Amino acid sequence: SDSNNLNLLAKIIYGEARGEPYNGMVAVGAVVLNRVSNPNFPSTVAGVIYQSGAFDAVSDGQINLDPSKQAFNAARDALNGWDPSGRSNLLF
């Protein structure tokens, strides 16, 4: 559902990029969404995020931290189409 995707995106953004500028946080969300639309990656937000080795925050457990309001805002911006990543499918 949309709320599950928002929550999961906020968690991965917080785990991966909480120390980054806001654009970097949105870019992490955009990378996830770009991968969802790429046939070489899983077709769901959860599938992309939990793909083995894809994100350090999953491997080291930081995905389980409570995301900040800023992480939720960045997730919303990414879901609404903002992509500061340059349409990247790669991690930076």
Side-chain angles (χ1 to χ4, degrees):
S1 77
D2 288 343
S3 65
N4 287 342
N5 286 340
L6 175 66
N7 190 50
L8 197 50
L9 269 182
K11 289 169 85 69
I12 198 64
I13 288 167
Y14 189 73
E16 286 285 327
R18 66 182 170 275
E20 298 296 320
Y22 188 74
N23 282 8
M25 295 175 76
V26 177
V28 169
V31 165
V32 171
L33 297 174
N34 290 341
R35 289 181 179 189
V36 168
S37 65
N38 183 314
N40 295 318
F41 291 93
S43 62
T44 65
V45 169
V48 166
I49 289 173
Y50 288 108
Q51 186 177 25
S52 181
F55 291 96
D56 289 339
V58 173
S59 303
D60 65 18
Q62 291 186 63
I63 192 146
N64 298 314
L65 298 173
D66 289 330
S68 65
K69 180 178 179 184
Q70 188 177 38
F72 275 102
N73 290 341
R76 277 188 202 93
D77 281 341
L79 284 166
N80 286 330
W82 184 18
D83 186 356
S85 77
R87 299 284 310 151
S88 176
N89 292 318
L90 307 173
L91 292 176
F92 346 102

